[in-house]
Amino acid sequence: MKAFKLTTILTLLLLFVLPLPCKAIESTEREEIKKAVETIYQLRNEVFINGKVSELPKYYNKVSRYGGWALDHEVRRVKYLKKWADERGIKFTSVTSDLEFRKINPYKNGAKVSLNEYYKFEYVYKDDEESVINTFGVGLIHGVDLIKKDGLWIINWDWYTDCFEDALKDINSAAEDIKECFPEIYPIPSIKRAALMDLENTSENTKRKKAVDYGDKYCGIVWASNNPAKYNKKYKNYTGAGGNCTNFVSQCLGDKEGAGLKQQGGWHCNYPKYGQAEGSSAWVNADAFKNYLFYSGKGRLLKKAAFKDLVPKTENMESIFSKLNYGDVICYAKGSDIDHFAIVTSFDSRGYPLINSHTTDRYHVPFDLGWGNKNISFYLIKIRY
């Protein structure tokens, strides 16, 4: 009995004294890094709601040029979202994100992390008698560098393609809590809209439903689509080669699983026996796709304008948004440059058009969110199904 106790005590002592195997140490460190990133991102999401921008700097390496840039960018994002929401009479009630870690590579006093972030935004309209919660999602691919300073992990840099990027140029980066109140200058008129499932059962509506179902299934936002594969692997992904937005919209319209519109002329996709399908110029290029829609008659321009000119000036004016339907498309221009395409997949509780798109993955996002510069114009395009 004494021998057993002595052996047990020696074993316990050895467990405490001897170093853990390298793999165990690496696993523990990776879990610590993972937890640190989750904590920082959770705080960032809370700042979208509470406006406490002054909380952000302590999570960034402000001494580093790239850490300073990352902080400035995040401050601008918070301020832009607040401004955008106030101008439309919207209040965000919840902002959360699921993190999918791809790689965690620790190094001396630091770590490089690659991950996917899947946002979920929830909002209501401030003056609605009965608040209806509207939900949309955004997917970001992050490359993060962390360093450990005074025992805490902080962001040294955080690179990602941001859905708000084009709207941040005129937003200041002072890390001060948001106290100012922005005027509601673009109130969204209420438009009664039938749900997608309630559309009259016609050949056209069937195709529209299939286009939207395809857009939702392959939107890239896992919590929304329940599709871990994210994209349709049958097609080449052009995200790193000019953008995948037009390729995605073309798939919604032209794939057999989507609306199945006839591929013809310059708008088509080649489906090899082996490998991924590659589209023609009009299939994957935004400017060429816009021209094809108009010249072929597949698309009809409802209106081209800046956002302020799309919103009715008075309550009695008819809203151009009422003429958009599920499965119609929106083209985005920076000055004269055709830059982006999205497909209308839903409408919120006010009838605000919501879109899905790729490159930065979006699911049921208000169509103009992130496009705030003065030189931005929108082409609202009716598709002939």
Side-chain angles (χ1 to χ4, degrees):
M1 191 71 173
K2 288 182 179 178
F4 173 77
K5 286 183 177 179
L6 181 60
T7 304
T8 303
I9 292 169
L10 287 172
T11 302
L12 290 171
L13 285 171
L14 287 170
L15 286 173
F16 282 106
V17 173
L18 292 177
L20 290 169
C22 289
K23 287 185 178 180
I25 293 173
E26 290 176 2
S27 177
T28 302
E29 188 173 20
R30 283 190 173 88
E31 283 301 313
E32 179 189 337
I33 294 165
K34 182 178 176 181
K35 184 65 176 175
V37 174
E38 289 173 341
T39 299
I40 294 171
Y41 280 31
Q42 180 182 345
L43 173 106
R44 296 200 318 196
N45 292 340
E46 291 171 1
V47 173
F48 279 125
I49 301 296
N50 60 35
K52 295 181 179 179
V53 180
S54 60
E55 294 288 322
L56 292 174
K58 62 185 177 184
Y59 290 97
Y60 290 83
N61 181 21
K62 300 186 294 297
V63 177
S64 160
R65 176 192 299 179
Y66 300 112
W69 286 351
L71 172 60
D72 287 352
H73 186 83
E74 193 61 31
V75 169
R76 286 189 174 99
R77 293 175 86 226
V78 173
K79 291 183 175 181
Y80 166 72
L81 196 69
K82 171 64 175 171
K83 178 177 183 291
W84 177 89
D86 281 352
E87 287 177 345
R88 287 146 185 79
I90 282 171
K91 177 184 177 182
F92 283 96
T93 57
S94 174
V95 181
T96 59
S97 55
D98 296 330
L99 305 185
E100 179 184 81
F101 290 86
R102 301 195 311 275
K103 286 184 182 179
I104 300 176
N105 295 324
Y107 62 87
K108 186 178 180 181
N109 296 324
K112 295 188 183 301
V113 181
S114 58
L115 62 94
N116 298 328
E117 181 178 24
Y118 302 108
Y119 276 109
K120 180 185 284 187
F121 293 83
E122 294 183 348
Y123 68 90
V124 297
Y125 282 92
K126 296 176 184 177
D127 59 356
D128 279 356
E129 292 182 6
E130 295 183 9
S131 295
V132 177
I133 296 176
N134 301 280
T135 304
F136 68 86
V138 173
L140 303 179
I141 301 173
H142 290 262
V144 188
D145 186 73
L146 302 166
I147 62 169
K148 205 167 192 178
K149 190 173 182 180
D150 300 327
L152 294 174
W153 289 100
I154 58 175
I155 293 175
N156 199 37
W157 50 259
D158 188 356
W159 178 92
Y160 53 95
T161 302
D162 186 15
C163 58
F164 301 153
E165 184 74 41
D166 288 297
L168 304 184
K169 295 176 182 178
D170 298 328
I171 307 295
N172 78 74
S173 61
E176 302 168 347
D177 292 348
I178 298 175
K179 297 177 182 178
E180 67 269 35
C181 180
F182 298 97
E184 295 181 14
I185 59 175
Y186 302 128
I188 305 301
S190 182
I191 303 170
K192 291 184 178 180
R193 171 91 51 182
L196 179 65
M197 65 186 72
D198 296 330
L199 292 182
E200 184 181 350
N201 190 20
T202 66
S203 174
E204 175 183 336
N205 285 342
T206 297
K207 291 178 181 179
R208 288 186 181 276
K209 288 176 182 178
K210 291 184 72 174
V212 170
D213 287 343
Y214 186 101
D216 285 348
K217 180 177 179 179
Y218 297 110
C219 67
I221 312 296
V222 177
W223 65 259
S225 66
N226 294 316
N227 177 17
K230 297 180 61 171
Y231 293 0
N232 190 340
K233 301 301 181 183
K234 180 169 69 176
Y235 293 93
K236 180 178 178 180
N237 180 359
Y238 293 89
T239 298
N244 201 56
C245 60
T246 308
N247 181 36
F248 173 61
V249 172
S250 289
Q251 290 172 38
C252 294
L253 302 186
D255 189 89
K256 291 181 180 179
E257 190 180 348
L261 297 186
K262 184 179 179 181
Q263 298 181 27
Q264 58 186 10
W267 182 72
H268 64 270
C269 199
N270 299 314
Y271 300 92
K273 188 174 181 180
Y274 303 103
Q276 293 176 307
E278 297 188 33
S280 64
S281 177
W283 185 278
V284 301
N285 177 272
D287 197 19
F289 182 53
K290 174 191 68 88
N291 292 337
Y292 168 77
L293 289 176
F294 293 156
Y295 295 148
S296 68
K298 269 197 172 75
R300 175 171 61 87
L301 182 64
L302 294 175
K303 189 168 184 177
K304 174 199 171 187
F307 181 80
K308 65 183 180 65
D309 296 319
L310 293 174
V311 179
K313 301 296 187 293
T314 67
E315 291 184 3
N316 296 326
M317 289 180 66
E318 182 183 14
S319 171
I320 191 66
F321 300 149
S322 66
K323 297 185 178 181
L324 278 175
N325 201 350
Y326 299 93
D328 287 334
V329 302
I330 298 178
C331 172
Y332 300 71
K334 296 180 180 179
S336 60
D337 179 34
I338 304 301
D339 186 68
H340 184 66
F341 257 96
I343 182 167
V344 177
T345 48
S346 192
F347 297 86
D348 75 3
S349 59
R350 281 282 184 92
Y352 203 144
L354 309 177
I355 55 89
N356 289 17
S357 69
H358 275 187
T359 303
T360 298
D361 296 335
R362 295 171 173 88
Y363 167 79
H364 293 196
V365 175
F367 79 94
D368 65 296
L369 181 61
W371 300 87
N373 263 5
K374 297 174 183 177
N375 68 333
I376 300 294
S377 57
F378 305 90
Y379 292 70
L380 307 187
I381 302 173
K382 172 70 66 178
I383 297 298
R384 182 166 60 85
Y385 281 91

